[in-house]
Amino acid sequence: MNTGAHYFLGADGGGTGCRARLEDAQGMVLGQGLSGPATTRLGIEAAWASIAKAFGAAIEEAGFAPAETARIHAGIGLAGIGRKGALEALRAIAHPFASIDFVSDGVGACLGAHSGRDGAIVIAGTGSIGLGFVEGRDLRAGGYGFPISDEGSGADLGLKAVQLALRAHDGRHERTALLAEVMQRFAGDPMEAVAWMDRASATDYAALAPMVMRHADQGDPVGRRIVQSAAEQIDTLVRVLFEKGAPRVTLLGGLASPLEPWLSPDVRRRLKPADGDAVSGAIILARRSLAQDQVR
């Protein structure tokens, strides 16, 4: 090992899991690690424990001793970092690195999507949000949390399917194959749906999204209307980001590929493929931190 070298660690922590990657100054991957959910919604300690497990595995795979670890510059993208007090609490945690910086998982994804250049992303997954940065300005549209926001997301698709299934059960709406399958999940009993609702999270609602997409693709009229409405919400997020000055926009998230054929042609033509992932963005953050330290 070159004891004078700099190393760069990126970690992306979200509601489903955390990924970490360690690279040298030339971008060669030295180690990778995975762990469970990492979001401040689970508490700062739990989120940090998951991040530490992921970056610990990457460091172990690289075979680093404490001397090399002390030359790592780390960038961490973390879900829920905007919660009050979260960033301060994270910065107060002791770490073994030369430097560490934190951003939201969305900002990390945006950095990776555009190789650190100005631009924006729309994330369509369990939730939805549009965000980016242009000439030092932060851009944002939506993403205030389910059920009051996150239109066009997987959770939103699931919620609408359950709502319409209950109406169809009562005879207040046409009954289709999609709505029949939703009610089958609750054994045909609306009270089972009520009991499920009492404990259901956005992730639970989003688990219904693949069913909605499948029926929509098979021509179910209700499924098609739900998905088309979701696509229109994503269209709006993309257009708003362009209106706010974003030079480029990328669509990301688990619903990105399934929803893209449903988007308006003008939106699809303007979307840009991602250069890299959220871990790449976190590594860009780490490299920037080193560069800023060297300037000071």
Side-chain angles (χ1 to χ4, degrees), residues 2-273:
N2 179 355
T3 56
H6 293 292
Y7 303 102
F8 302 94
L9 173 77
D12 172 47
T16 56
C18 182
R19 299 173 299 141
R21 187 164 70 239
L22 179 63
E23 297 181 356
D24 65 14
Q26 288 70 47
M28 180 178 293
V29 176
L30 304 176
Q32 300 185 80
L34 297 170
S35 64
T39 165
T40 62
R41 186 166 39 84
L42 303 174
I44 298 297
E45 288 186 10
W48 179 255
S50 182
I51 293 166
K53 182 177 180 181
F55 72 59
I59 291 168
E60 183 178 356
E61 186 176 295
F64 274 21
E68 288 85 34
T69 301
R71 301 197 65 80
I72 292 174
H73 299 271
I76 312 293
L78 181 62
I81 205 168
R83 289 171 181 258
K84 288 188 176 181
L87 185 57
E88 292 77 10
L90 288 163
R91 285 175 171 164
I93 296 174
H95 63 81
F97 307 126
S99 70
I100 191 167
D101 203 356
F102 298 90
V103 291
S104 71
D105 57 336
V107 169
C110 193
L111 285 168
H114 305 303
S115 300
R117 296 176 298 163
D118 281 0
I121 59 172
V122 170
I123 300 174
T126 297
S128 68
I129 189 173
L131 58 85
F133 21 82
V134 177
E135 298 176 352
R137 291 185 294 116
D138 290 336
L139 310 180
R140 176 169 181 155
Y144 300 111
F146 177 82
I148 63 170
S149 182
D150 291 30
E151 299 87 355
S153 67
D156 193 38
L157 287 178
L159 173 62
K160 286 182 168 55
V162 173
Q163 288 174 331
L164 292 172
L166 290 170
R167 291 183 206 169
H169 177 84
D170 290 348
R172 295 180 287 142
H173 194 280
E174 65 178 308
R175 182 181 173 91
T176 69
L178 166 62
L179 302 184
E181 186 172 343
V182 172
M183 285 309 298
Q184 286 172 11
R185 295 284 184 104
F186 305 115
D189 183 356
M191 291 302 105
E192 284 294 324
V194 172
W196 175 83
M197 173 192 69
D198 286 340
R199 60 181 184 276
S201 65
T203 303
D204 295 320
Y205 280 98
L208 300 173
M211 180 202 307
V212 178
M213 294 298 312
R214 171 167 50 84
H215 280 279
D217 289 338
Q218 292 170 354
D220 184 281
V222 172
R224 289 184 64 84
R225 286 199 294 272
I226 293 174
V227 173
Q228 189 58 60
S229 175
E232 288 168 2
Q233 296 294 335
I234 301 302
D235 282 342
T236 299
L237 287 173
V238 172
R239 290 180 181 130
V240 164
L241 290 169
F242 277 120
E243 288 169 5
K244 288 176 179 283
R248 53 190 70 85
V249 179
T250 296
L251 182 62
L252 302 174
L255 273 180
S257 292
L259 269 183
E260 188 165 347
W262 295 80
L263 300 178
S264 295
D266 67 295
V267 169
R268 289 208 311 272
R269 282 195 301 269
R270 297 180 75 184
L271 290 173
K272 168 192 168 293

Side-chain angles (χ1 to χ4, degrees), residues 10-12 19 21 23 108-109 111-113 115-116 275-287:
D12 172 47
R19 299 173 299 141
R21 187 164 70 239
E23 297 181 356
L111 285 168
S115 300
D275 295 339
D277 61 10
V279 179
S280 301
I283 289 173
I284 289 170
L285 178 70
R287 289 179 179 272

